[in-house]
Amino acid sequence: MRKRIFIGGSKTIYKIDDNVKEKLQEIIKNQNDVLIGDCFGVDKAVQEFFYENRYRNVTVYVSGENVRNNVGDFKVYSIPTDKTGFAFYRQKDIAMAKEANCGFMIWDGKSKGTLSNIFDLLSQTKPCEVYFAEDKHGFSE
């Protein structure tokens, strides 16, 4: 069965390691639909991976009208909002959690946004795999 996977993660992680790449290759192999945000960090790194692998089943979710990152010129889904600050960007994440049937988060152990995404998915009884990037590989200094 084809899945709709919400992929997200910490903006402090700007490179994905081989373990994450292996998971993303599995997503490509299974032709799953990917829902991803437009932030720098994990969002941008994962977009780059799918672009480099010529994978097109990707939709970039944005809060408001301005797209910050869309590396592969993927389909864009804009979430209208009148919120500001953290709540502004959360709107796209809430929408992705609602639309997805599972999640894959790459977390630095600190990002409250990524943690919120995990809770959003689990509160809807949707499975969420979490890759905890505990070492410094891929972290911004």
Side-chain angles (χ1 to χ4, degrees):
M1 180 179 118
R2 192 162 155 170
K3 297 178 185 174
R4 292 177 55 87
I5 304 172
F6 173 10
I7 300 177
S10 307
K11 57 186 172 186
T12 59
I13 302 170
Y14 61 93
K15 291 182 193 172
I16 53 176
D17 66 21
D18 289 341
N19 294 313
V20 172
K21 288 177 183 178
E22 187 176 308
K23 176 69 176 176
L24 299 179
Q25 285 291 355
E26 183 182 317
I27 289 168
I28 291 171
K29 179 183 166 206
N30 293 324
Q31 292 292 296
N32 292 312
D33 294 321
V34 173
L35 313 179
I36 192 157
D38 67 334
C39 193
F40 51 92
V42 166
D43 289 355
K44 186 176 179 185
V46 170
Q47 285 182 26
E48 288 171 348
F49 179 86
F50 286 128
Y51 175 70
E52 290 165 4
N53 284 273
R54 296 186 176 112
Y55 190 65
R56 301 301 304 163
N57 293 354
V58 177
T59 302
V60 176
Y61 278 61
V62 295
S63 291
E65 297 296 321
N66 296 327
V67 182
R68 296 174 292 175
N69 290 290
N70 185 357
V71 175
D73 195 28
F74 299 113
K75 178 181 165 186
V76 172
Y77 189 76
S78 178
I79 307 299
T81 181
D82 60 358
K83 308 277 187 196
T84 59
F86 181 73
F88 175 83
Y89 295 108
R90 280 284 297 139
Q91 300 311 300
K92 68 175 171 40
D93 295 336
I94 291 167
M96 285 186 282
K98 182 179 177 185
E99 295 297 321
N101 49 28
C102 61
F104 177 53
M105 298 292 142
I106 302 125
W107 192 38
D108 64 2
K110 298 174 186 172
S111 166
K112 67 180 182 177
T114 306
L115 185 59
S116 295
N117 295 341
I118 295 165
F119 286 143
D120 287 345
L121 287 159
L122 296 178
S123 71
Q124 297 174 56
T125 64
K126 296 176 180 178
C128 182
E129 184 175 342
V130 179
Y131 180 76
F132 184 56
E134 59 186 325
D135 64 15
K136 288 292 183 189
H137 176 76
F139 280 47
S140 58
E141 296 297 324

